[in-house]
Amino acid sequence: MMRFRENVDLRMANTLRLPMKARFWAEVQSETELAALMNSVTLKRLPSLVLGGGSNVILSQDFSGVVIHPAMRGLHILEQSRDQVVLEAAAGESWHSVVEYTLRQGWSGLENLALIPGSVGAAPVQNIGAYGVELEDVMHSLVAVERSTGKTRVFMPEECGFAYRESIFKSAECDRWIITAVRFTLHRQGPLHLDYGDIRSELQAMRVVRPTSLAVARAVMAIRRRKLPDPALLPNAGSFFKNPVISQDQYRMLQQRFPDLIAYPFGHEIKLAAGWLIDQCGFRGRRQGAVACHERQALVLLNHGNGTAEELLAFANDIVQSVRQHFGVTLEMEPRIY
Ligand code: FAD
Ligand code: NAP
């Protein structure tokens, strides 16, 4: 049954613990309930926004409409063969629990994406990625409900406009669809992606000789736990900025001035490590009122207590200005502001 509440405080519903009041909160348990909500008079009259685990949003002002929280649960095998499994996970499942479930079955595909906070339904929105794997690499298809009609549609990966931390659900068609389920193609004995960041050295330190998907996930989790603040203890939204992508020419010019510049090939272009740029501008570990830049990863901004979105965005703006002045590169924010 749908849970509907009035005048809801969303501080605990976003990982930055920013204060926001919403007039209504609707927790939907099924696609049918969602379609009914979409067609209800209340919803047609009021603005609405979708909130999963609140780990990639900045809640900046009270909201006079309905916050829709997809809470549908369930995991189903849709197809299986000797080598592969197609697993469907409902939008309200926790992302990491689904990763854990697949690891328990001995399947591979999601191991590099272990420990990413949030819900399954939000994963395609920014094509979540970590340690060289992105959602689009493992997604079979997804199911979404159109907000204006309540109708259901299946999207294949090529219809989602996936790019680096991007999809149509985040930009071109943002606010049009609510994702209700995501399907993954997983392997019983699949290729593992070990050539990113510290995965190999972590596996070595763990004395793993023949890595399995579970061992890779454990390595990823160990690295993440060392480096990233747990939002339950230190409120944050993960990477606050995307890594900027620049042209080869701009890279060559910057590299002459900054020989230590951290950069990676990105198609025909070059991706810079935003954390390094921010660090060079002196922000790593800096605190400004109740907000701060994390000392172990400058890409992560923190709310130390009663910080407001205004304070956080002012601090983020100082970082953007400084990086632009030093490097002529403009940082783009990753979380969406509401
Ligand atoms: P929310 O924050 O609730 O929503 C994010 C956006 O998606 C909003 O615009 C919302 O409207 C929309 N949305 C949510 N659910 C749906 C739905 N069912 N249908 C349509 N739209 C929807 N991200 C990475 O990519 N890689 C990482 O490694 C990573 N690490 C992180 C580490 C930490 C400590 C934190 C705090 C965040 C990290 N993130 C990472 C960011 C974040 O966890 C992901 O983007 C995650 O997918 C957000 O899920 P959520 O349910 O919290 O989404
Ligand atoms: P890291 O390993 O210190 O690396 C710093 C940056 O360099 C990362 O942003 C990563 O880019 C890039 N990088 C490292 N090795 C690379 C390679 N072999 N090829 C191409 N690019 C490479 O990063 P970290 O902060 O500890 O994060 C580890 C992973 O988790 C990264 O993939 C990161 O994106 C992901 N993560 C994401 C969030 C989020 O909120 N979006 C939060 C925490 C961690 P990419 O970011 O493009 O991978």
Side-chain angles (χ1 to χ4, degrees):
M1 268 276 286
M2 184 176 352
R3 283 176 58 198
F4 206 79
R5 288 189 288 145
E6 215 173 324
N7 296 327
V8 183
D9 184 349
L10 298 183
R11 189 189 286 269
M12 297 311 286
N14 73 99
T15 61
L16 269 166
R17 299 284 179 261
L18 294 171
M20 186 212 228
K21 297 235 176 347
R23 177 144 172 233
F24 297 111
W25 167 272
E27 209 168 296
V28 285
Q29 312 287 342
S30 68
E31 243 171 61
T32 321
E33 270 186 16
L34 184 59
L37 179 69
M38 294 292 108
N39 289 315
S40 75
V41 180
T42 319
L43 206 86
K44 293 225 180 276
R45 270 192 298 118
L46 291 170
S48 62
L49 71 82
V50 183
L51 197 63
S55 62
N56 212 23
V57 289
I58 294 163
L59 303 184
S60 68
Q61 53 187 321
D62 288 350
F63 185 60
S64 59
V66 186
V67 174
I68 301 169
H69 179 63
M72 38 300 249
R73 308 298 293 268
L75 297 174
H76 305 281
I77 294 177
L78 296 187
E79 289 168 30
Q80 51 183 323
S81 66
R82 225 179 48 154
D83 310 320
Q84 286 189 351
V85 178
V86 177
L87 176 76
E88 179 178 280
E93 290 287 343
S94 119
W95 173 264
H96 182 65
S97 309
V98 174
V99 176
E100 282 183 315
Y101 171 82
T102 65
L103 295 170
R104 279 199 300 275
Q105 311 307 311
W107 302 336
S108 64
L110 304 186
E111 54 281 353
N112 293 44
L113 302 174
L115 223 57
I116 298 180
S119 59
V120 164
V125 174
Q126 74 156 4
N127 185 23
I128 55 168
Y131 300 94
V133 174
E134 291 180 306
L135 181 85
E136 65 176 309
D137 303 325
V138 286
M139 198 184 90
H140 173 279
S141 54
L142 65 78
V143 186
V145 167
E146 190 171 29
R147 286 165 77 159
S148 60
T149 62
K151 286 193 181 138
T152 298
R153 176 175 155 189
V154 173
F155 287 79
M156 300 313 284
E158 57 276 17
E159 297 173 298
C160 297
F162 284 133
Y164 181 59
R165 306 282 186 271
E166 267 300 340
S167 77
I168 55 165
F169 308 105
K170 190 167 180 179
S171 44
E173 301 203 7
C174 94
D175 297 336
R176 180 167 171 196
W177 303 97
I178 298 182
I179 296 161
T180 56
V182 184
R183 297 154 176 176
F184 309 97
T185 303
L186 304 167
H187 297 269
R188 293 191 195 275
Q189 250 189 346
L192 298 172
H193 303 273
L194 309 175
D195 295 321
Y196 205 89
D198 299 329
I199 294 185
R200 273 191 199 279
S201 54
E202 190 67 28
L203 285 168
Q204 241 169 22
M206 289 161 57
R207 299 184 191 286
V208 172
V209 184
R210 279 212 208 119
T212 57
S213 52
L214 181 60
V216 174
R218 284 193 175 139
V220 165
M221 289 191 277
I223 304 168
R224 290 183 73 108
R225 286 200 173 105
R226 274 202 301 272
K227 203 160 176 187
L228 292 167
D230 177 352
L233 305 174
L234 247 184
N236 72 87
S239 305
F240 205 86
F241 302 100
K242 294 185 195 178
N243 286 325
V245 175
I246 61 172
S247 69
Q248 300 269 2
D249 285 347
Q250 193 180 359
Y251 170 66
R252 273 190 289 274
M253 285 190 312
L254 273 177
Q255 222 253 339
Q256 275 174 4
R257 286 176 53 210
F258 307 100
D260 298 338
L261 190 67
I262 298 185
Y264 299 91
F266 190 83
H268 297 301
E269 298 176 298
I270 300 288
K271 179 183 77 180
L272 302 179
W276 186 86
L277 301 175
I278 297 168
D279 188 4
Q280 296 301 302
C281 293
F283 282 93
R284 185 154 63 91
R286 190 187 295 180
R287 187 166 171 164
Q288 201 163 292
V291 298
C293 184
H294 190 45
E295 57 194 10
R296 271 172 280 150
Q297 170 52 288
L299 204 45
V300 177
L301 301 192
L302 309 166
N303 176 7
H304 272 292
N306 290 327
T308 60
E310 207 180 354
E311 249 179 306
L312 187 70
L313 291 171
F315 187 47
N317 190 44
D318 289 349
I319 293 176
V320 172
Q321 301 296 342
S322 180
V323 168
R324 195 184 287 140
Q325 250 168 28
H326 276 75
F327 298 101
V329 170
T330 302
L331 293 181
E332 216 182 287
M333 267 179 57
E334 184 184 289
R336 181 160 167 201
I337 307 176
Y338 286 98

